[in-house]
Amino acid sequence: MPSETVWEIAKAEVEKRESNGSEGDGVEIGEKSVFFIGSKNGCFNQMIHLWPAGYFGAACALRVSCYWGKTTIILRCLDRDEPPKPTLALEYTYGRRAKGHNRPKDIAHLWELGGGTSLLDLISIPITSDTLRTLSIVLVLDLSKPNDLWPTMESLLQATKSHVDKVIMKLGKTNSKAASEMRQKIWSNMQKDHPDRELIDPFPIPLVIIGSKYDIFQDFDSEKRKVVCKTLRFIAHYYGASLMFTSKSEALLLKIRGVINKLAFGIDKSKSICVDQNKPLFITAGLDSFSHIGTGTVQKKFFHVLETN
C-alpha cells in the first residue's frame, strides 16, 4: 500500500503534466483549491460543465462502488468518448488558466466529496495545512428536496468547520503569522460599518452556498419557498458566505461560472444581489442583512443548534 495521500498523488500528477507541457519556460504557477460538498445529487459533477471541453484533466481519484450521477456531463467536459463509470467518493480534477504569453499559469485543484453526509471522514484529505490558505468551500444543496436541506447543511458545515479549525490551530503552532492572517482575511467581505458585524461568525475560509435545481424549486408553494429562502439567506449571512441558486438556465450557469472562476483563479467578479424569493437568489457575501431577512423560528433553531454543539 503506497504511503502517499490522495492529495500528494494528485498534486504530483499535476506537476508532472505541467512540467511535460512547459518544461524550461520559467513560468511560475499559482495554485488554488476548491472543495465541493453537498447533497447526494447535484454537487461538483453538476458544476463541472461550466468550463469548455478540455479545460480540465482528471489526475486521480479514490473510487468506491457508490453511484453519484452527472458523470456524462464530466465526460463531455473532458471531451472523452467513453461510457460513464461508477461515481467517486472523493473525486479530484484540475483546471489550468494561462494569463498570457510568458505570464504565470494558474492551476485550480478541484475536489468533490460524494455521498452527501455519509463520507465526512474524507473531508480531511483536501483540507490540510498545505492547502488551507488557498482553499475555498462550495456547498451545493438540492432545492428540490427542502426537507433534506437543514440536516445536510448542518452536518456538512459543522464537520468541515471543525476540521478547518483544527488545521488552523495546528498551523498556528508552526506559523502563527499565517494563521493570524487567515483569521483577519475572513472579515474582508464584511464592511467595517455593517450593522451585523458583531452578530455574525464568518466561516474560517471562503464559503459559497449554491442551491441547485431551481427549475423544480420555483414551482413549489410560495410559503415553502419563502421559508427555504429565508433559512438559506440567514445561514449564508451568518457565516459570511455568498448564496446563489442555479438550474439548467444558461444565464444562471454563467453567473455560477463567474463565482467559481473567482474562487479557482482569483478573477474579479462584480458584486450583485437578488433577494426576491420569486427569482433565483444571488447574494454576494457581505451584501445581505438580518433586518432584510427578517426574524423568526429559523434564527431560533439555528442558535439552538449552535448552543447544543
Side-chain angles (χ1 to χ4, degrees):
M1 177 74 68
S3 58
E4 295 94 344
T5 65
V6 172
W7 165 254
E8 290 168 340
I9 297 171
K11 188 172 182 180
E13 179 66 18
V14 172
E15 290 173 349
K16 176 182 176 183
R17 295 188 184 196
E18 285 297 311
S19 177
N20 291 339
S22 58
E23 186 173 359
D25 60 8
V27 176
E28 181 184 352
I29 298 174
E31 298 185 32
K32 292 181 180 293
S33 298
V34 184
F35 186 20
F36 292 78
I37 58 178
S39 304
K40 279 192 175 183
N41 298 304
C43 200
F44 173 61
N45 288 354
Q46 188 177 9
M47 303 296 159
I48 191 71
H49 70 296
L50 299 180
W51 287 271
Y55 207 73
F56 292 95
C60 75
L62 179 64
R63 295 185 176 276
V64 294
S65 58
C66 61
Y67 178 74
W68 250 93
K70 299 292 188 291
T71 307
T72 303
I73 296 176
I74 291 182
L75 292 174
R76 192 179 86 178
C77 169
L78 299 174
D79 200 21
R80 293 180 182 173
D81 185 15
E82 60 185 72
K85 297 178 181 179
T87 312
L88 315 173
L90 184 66
E91 181 172 335
Y92 169 82
T93 191
Y94 67 92
R96 294 173 292 184
R97 184 181 182 92
K99 294 182 178 179
H101 184 63
N102 286 333
R103 295 286 302 278
K105 292 182 180 179
D106 292 333
I107 294 179
H109 302 281
L110 306 173
W111 295 84
E112 178 203 359
L113 179 69
T117 61
S118 64
L119 299 170
L120 297 180
D121 290 345
L122 297 180
I123 284 176
S124 62
I125 295 177
I127 304 177
T128 69
S129 56
D130 292 329
T131 65
L132 196 61
R133 279 172 283 181
T134 57
L135 178 69
S136 301
I137 301 293
V138 177
L139 171 64
V140 184
L141 299 170
D142 186 348
L143 294 176
S144 70
K145 299 178 180 179
N147 293 335
D148 295 337
L149 286 176
W150 185 272
T152 299
M153 180 169 53
E154 180 185 357
S155 297
L156 287 169
L157 287 181
Q158 286 186 2
T160 304
K161 186 177 185 298
S162 176
H163 183 69
V164 170
D165 286 339
K166 290 178 182 178
V167 176
I168 292 178
M169 187 176 297
K170 181 180 178 181
L171 177 65
K173 294 179 180 179
T174 59
N175 191 339
S176 58
K177 181 179 179 181
S180 177
E181 288 176 350
M182 286 194 63
R183 294 189 181 96
Q184 294 176 14
K185 186 178 179 181
I186 61 176
W187 290 96
S188 61
N189 290 323
M190 182 66 64
Q191 296 179 359
K192 292 183 178 181
D193 59 349
H194 195 291
D196 299 335
R197 191 174 176 86
E198 301 299 322
L199 303 175
I200 68 170
D201 182 19
F203 208 73
I205 56 179
L207 172 66
V208 172
I209 300 176
I210 297 177
S212 65
K213 301 184 182 179
Y214 176 77
D215 48 332
I216 299 176
F217 176 74
Q218 66 181 346
D219 294 328
F220 285 2
D221 175 75
S222 175
E223 190 59 31
K224 180 176 288 188
R225 283 188 284 110
K226 179 180 179 180
V227 171
V228 170
C229 288
K230 279 196 170 188
T231 301
L232 294 180
R233 284 180 65 187
F234 182 87
I235 299 299
H237 186 53
Y238 180 82
Y239 281 126
S242 295
L243 171 67
M244 53 212 62
F245 291 173
T246 189
S247 67
K248 297 177 182 179
S249 163
E250 187 66 25
L252 292 180
L253 291 176
L254 285 174
K255 282 189 174 183
I256 298 299
R257 176 180 176 178
V259 172
I260 304 302
N261 269 335
K262 170 65 176 178
L263 300 178
F265 301 108
I267 301 172
D268 291 335
K269 67 180 189 302
S270 59
K271 291 189 175 183
S272 60
I273 184 169
C274 176
V275 297
D276 187 346
Q277 70 180 52
N278 296 311
K279 298 178 181 180
L281 295 183
F282 192 97
I283 309 170
T284 305
L287 296 187
D288 213 342
S289 69
F290 290 134
S291 62
H292 291 155
I293 298 171
T295 58
T297 56
V298 171
Q299 290 87 330
K300 292 178 182 178
K301 180 177 180 180
F302 180 65
F303 283 116
H304 174 70
V305 170
L306 291 180
E307 291 173 358
T308 55
N309 287 279

